[in-house]
Amino acid sequence: MTTPVIVKLIVDCFKNGGKVLIIGNGGSMAMASHMMAEFVGIYTNSKALPAIALNDIATITAIANDTDYKYVFSRQVKALGKRGDILITFSTSGKSKNIIEGMYQAKMQALTIIDMPRIKGTTQEIQENQLHLTHEICKLVKQYFK
């Protein structure tokens, strides 16, 4: 998926009253929080855009303890997602069971899924590319909501 396509999907989602849910593990979870902060606060002077990083530690540990760690995102998507929303996933491998389960649940609920692109390389190179892409996406989305 190219940057212009990702930006259009996100802009259309926000314009239509939808929200963006964002997930990731470890450093990718930090990236999810960073993107949320850009949409909700820093990047939009005139409008706070509805984005949620699904990284509340109490929620994650409760779900992991009561069911299984692979459901920590899918349960939250099930509770918070609706048709017209977007799920953005950050992953360096694309193989994490909890990310895959979250994507499956999003598909079941007719959310648009944006799996942040991964270039070949080390974990650090993938994350650096995803961070650069995050800033570019947020900058372009911001232009629509000045």
Side-chain angles (χ1 to χ4, degrees), residues 33-103:
S33 291
H34 184 90
M35 183 177 246
M36 178 195 73
E38 301 290 7
F39 287 139
V40 173
I42 301 167
Y43 253 104
T44 55
N45 295 329
S46 62
K47 182 172 182 171
L49 301 172
I52 305 167
L54 303 182
N55 61 6
D56 176 73
I57 197 65
T59 303
I60 288 172
T61 58
I63 295 167
N65 185 60
D66 294 345
T67 60
D68 189 289
Y69 189 75
K70 73 180 181 179
Y71 300 119
V72 297
F73 297 127
S74 62
R75 294 289 298 173
Q76 294 181 76
V77 169
K78 186 173 186 176
L80 300 170
K82 65 175 177 50
R83 178 183 295 273
D85 290 345
I86 291 176
L87 176 69
I88 297 178
T89 65
F90 283 93
S91 175
T92 56
S93 70
K95 298 176 184 177
S96 300
K97 290 179 183 178
N98 59 357
I99 299 289
I100 293 167
E101 287 290 329
M103 293 170 75

Side-chain angles (χ1 to χ4, degrees), residues 3-56:
T3 301
V5 171
I6 292 170
V7 169
K8 181 172 178 7
L9 288 170
I10 293 170
V11 167
D12 289 347
C13 173
F14 288 143
K15 282 184 173 180
N16 293 322
K19 66 186 164 301
V20 173
L21 306 176
I22 315 167
I23 61 176
N25 292 303
S28 295
M29 182 180 281
M31 199 90 72
S33 291
H34 184 90
M35 183 177 246
M36 178 195 73
E38 301 290 7
F39 287 139
V40 173
I42 301 167
Y43 253 104
T44 55
N45 295 329
S46 62
K47 182 172 182 171
L49 301 172
I52 305 167
L54 303 182
N55 61 6
D56 176 73

